[in-house]
């Protein structure tokens, strides 16, 4: 089975998979392989996707690789009916210069072959298709210039690259935008959001942009689209002492929390008490693991809040995000 993750986080993923009996046999930039097991785990943090039953296909040239991938696809699709769009994905390991261009060239050559041999199926291919959960299609990952790992199935854990907004005050904005896809909901007009550790205001701006009312708690200044925003109230207070019922007379619809603080402290003294006191309906909380053991933190977070979905987002760095 092939797992994809953010390049540089393969060993974090390896430590997450090991207790599940999945032992790494090979890895590279942004990918990790295990001998095939019964199925891909339904919930993982560091994996962005899993390709079960992936096969290795090699070819010296672009055309040779494309031809062998086409043979594999046509053989496996022989008795399959294609009624609508199906996902087609070609990508590559993240550590070799020029491999992305190679993957594009192999995809182009593959699509030409497919058009010649199965024109209707080729027309239904949807290269950008990406939804959480299991999909059937064709998924190709070039691990070097002559080698691809190829599967007909993909389990996606929900991470995806988001588009920036010129008014967003920080790159952090992209994390909360991505987290909405994991939770399956976004703040809505009339809802209230408490944003702890809000400055310079990327998360607050994202919620205000959707018409929600935001209380942004941080000693630092708000900037760009969050500054003087009529839907955002800025309070220069300590996040650990903030009580939404005392401040606004009622619990919040959303808790956002992106504090640069010890993650155990955030878990123990913000998220858990907020959930116990029912101070929020939904939450998006980012825990920074730069100075702690990420595997131990993940285990603790899962044990303390079993219902949380925890993901190392596409836009996360030394941190992961809990939503629920
Ligand atoms: C990574 S930044 C938040 C970025 C923000 N989510 C955005 O989208 O722009 C972390 C923030 O946590 C704030 N912070 C750290 N400890 C805090 C505390 N005890 N109370 C309030 N804010 C705190 C820092 O001032 C800093 O602005």
């Amino acid at each position: 089975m092939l797992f994809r993750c953010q390049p540089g986080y393969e060993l974090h993923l390896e430590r997450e998979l090991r207790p599940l009996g999945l032992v790494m046999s090979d890895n590279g930039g942004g990918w990790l392989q295990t001998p095939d097991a019964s199925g891909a785990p339904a919930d993982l943090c560091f994996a962005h996707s899993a390709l079960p039953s992936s096969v290795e296909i090699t070819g010296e040239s672009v055309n040779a690789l494309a031809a062998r991938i086409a043979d594999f696809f046509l053989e496996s699709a022989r008795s399959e009916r294609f009624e609508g769009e199906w996902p087609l994905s070609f990508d590559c390991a993240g550590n070799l210069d020029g491999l992305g261009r190679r993957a594009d060239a192999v995809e182009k050559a593959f699509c030409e072959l497919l058009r010649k041999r199965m024109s209707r199926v080729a027309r239904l291919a949807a290269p950008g298709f990406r939804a959480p959960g299991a999909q059937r299609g064709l998924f190709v990952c070039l691990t070097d210039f002559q080698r691809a790992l190829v599967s007909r199935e993909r389990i996606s854990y929900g991470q995806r690259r988001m588009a920036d907004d010129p008014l967003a005050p920080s790159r952090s904005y992209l994390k909360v935008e991505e987290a909405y896809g994991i939770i399956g909901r976004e703040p809505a007009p009339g809802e209230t959001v408490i944003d702890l550790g809000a400055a310079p205001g990327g998360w607050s701006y994202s919620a205000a942009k959707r018409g929600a009312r935001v209380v942004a708690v941080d000693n630092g200044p708000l900037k760009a689209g969050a500054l003087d925003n009529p839907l955002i109230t800025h309070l220069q207070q300590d996040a650990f002492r903030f009580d939404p019922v005392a401040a606004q007379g009622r619990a919040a619809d959303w808790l956002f929390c992106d504090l640069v603080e010890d993650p155990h402290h955030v878990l123990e003294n913000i998220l858990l008490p907020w959930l116990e006191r029912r101070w929020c309906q939904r939450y998006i909380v980012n825990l920074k693991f730069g100075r702690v053991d990420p595997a131990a933190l993940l285990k603790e977070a899962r044990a303390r809040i079993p219902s949380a979905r925890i993901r190392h987002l596409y836009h996360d760095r030394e941190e992961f995000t809990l939503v629920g």
Side-chain angles (χ1 to χ4, degrees):
M1 181 144 45
L2 175 70
F3 291 93
R4 304 301 312 275
C5 64
Q6 211 183 107
Y9 291 85
E10 302 81 17
L11 296 183
H12 292 73
L13 175 57
E14 193 257 332
R15 287 188 67 194
E16 187 183 3
L17 293 175
R18 213 186 307 147
L20 305 174
L22 294 162
V23 179
M24 181 168 83
S25 53
D26 197 4
N27 77 303
W31 63 275
L32 180 163
Q33 214 177 357
T34 64
D36 231 359
S38 46
D43 189 46
L44 288 171
C45 170
F46 284 101
H48 293 192
S49 61
L51 307 188
S53 311
S54 54
V55 298
E56 179 183 294
I57 295 181
T58 56
E60 297 265 302
S61 64
V62 165
N63 286 340
L65 202 47
R68 288 185 192 141
I69 294 170
D71 289 344
F72 163 80
F73 178 72
L74 292 168
E75 177 62 29
S76 65
R78 205 195 280 253
S79 56
E80 205 167 316
R81 290 175 71 85
F82 290 83
E83 304 291 3
E85 283 197 334
W86 57 275
L88 173 66
S89 159
F90 275 74
D91 68 2
C92 64
N95 58 341
L96 292 173
D97 277 351
L99 196 56
R101 281 194 299 281
R102 180 80 159 193
D104 290 345
V106 176
E107 177 173 9
K108 194 163 167 250
F110 167 84
C111 288
E112 274 167 24
L113 290 172
L114 192 62
R115 269 194 294 275
K116 283 188 195 141
R117 292 163 72 178
M118 278 178 115
S119 62
R120 194 185 71 85
V121 172
R123 274 198 307 278
L124 292 171
F129 182 95
R130 198 169 185 95
Q135 301 114 38
R136 186 157 174 84
L138 180 68
F139 308 100
V140 179
C141 172
L142 264 69
T143 55
D144 68 36
F145 287 83
Q146 275 102 36
R147 176 179 183 254
L149 294 168
V150 183
S151 174
R152 295 294 321 274
E153 282 172 76
R154 176 174 68 188
I155 288 96
S156 294
Y157 296 101
Q159 292 92 335
R160 60 200 174 107
R161 187 178 183 167
M162 306 306 294
D164 212 347
D165 175 330
L167 286 180
S170 61
R171 297 277 308 156
S172 200
Y173 161 84
L174 298 168
K175 288 183 236 167
V176 82
E177 292 277 318
E178 188 183 353
Y180 300 148
I182 308 286
I183 199 171
R185 262 203 67 149
E186 302 179 351
E191 289 187 335
T192 55
V193 177
I194 307 295
D195 186 4
L196 302 178
W203 290 26
S204 294
Y205 169 71
S206 162
K209 193 172 139 170
R210 289 169 170 79
R213 293 200 161 274
V214 184
V215 177
V217 181
D218 201 310
N219 274 321
L222 299 183
K223 295 184 181 161
L227 182 64
D228 299 328
N229 187 311
L231 287 170
I232 302 176
T233 305
H234 184 194
L235 297 180
Q236 293 183 305
Q237 290 182 16
D238 179 5
F240 290 90
R241 292 172 182 273
F242 186 81
D243 172 343
V245 179
Q248 56 176 26
R250 70 177 193 88
D253 294 299
W254 293 81
L255 165 66
F256 285 1
C257 177
D258 188 26
L259 292 166
V260 177
E261 290 275 359
D262 175 78
H264 300 285
H265 188 32
V266 173
L267 196 58
E268 207 59 50
N269 297 307
I270 292 189
L271 184 52
L272 283 163
W274 274 66
L275 294 178
E276 262 162 38
R277 294 169 193 158
R278 299 182 182 276
W279 275 358
C280 58
Q281 298 275 339
R282 297 188 175 77
Y283 60 86
I284 299 177
V285 173
N286 186 276
L287 297 181
K288 322 279 175 195
F289 58 69
R291 294 192 184 164
V292 304
D293 175 1
L297 179 66
L298 182 58
K299 194 171 167 197
E300 181 188 344
R302 283 195 174 128
R304 301 297 301 271
I305 314 175
S307 60
R309 250 169 288 164
I310 309 178
R311 293 287 183 275
H312 187 235
L313 300 175
Y314 178 92
H315 294 285
D316 277 343
R317 293 293 171 254
E318 298 286 294
E319 58 203 340
F320 49 63
T321 305
L322 281 72
V323 307

